[in-house]
Amino acid sequence: PCNLVFLVDTSGSMSSPNKLPLVKEGLKALTAQLGERDRVAIVAYAGAAGLVLPSTPGDRKQEIVGSLERLS
């Protein structure tokens, strides 16, 4: 089992289409490979860090992807 933390830069420098949107798509692809014993947390930072998703089982894919979608 994996215990992953996605640390995502959400600052203004990541706003172009080949930056944050590409990172989000890559993390969604990785999420699709997770199993129920894996865990994922998401932390975003843009000057200050903040917890977006606490440690969540990998089989709760909709919740993980929803948290990724909300990153901006």
Side-chain angles (χ1 to χ4, degrees), residues 11-23:
S11 67
S13 68
M14 294 293 287
S15 63
S16 65
N18 66 338
K19 292 185 179 176
L20 184 58
L22 188 59
V23 168

Side-chain angles (χ1 to χ4, degrees), residues 4 39-43 51-57 60 63-64 67:
L4 303 170
R39 298 192 70 82
V40 172
I42 302 173
V43 177
L51 183 64
V52 175
L53 179 73
S55 185
T56 301
R60 291 171 52 186
E63 188 175 342
I64 296 167
S67 294

Side-chain angles (χ1 to χ4, degrees), residues 1-3 34-39 57-59:
C2 295
N3 186 11
L34 297 174
E36 65 183 36
R37 294 180 58 207
D38 301 318
R39 298 192 70 82
D59 61 346

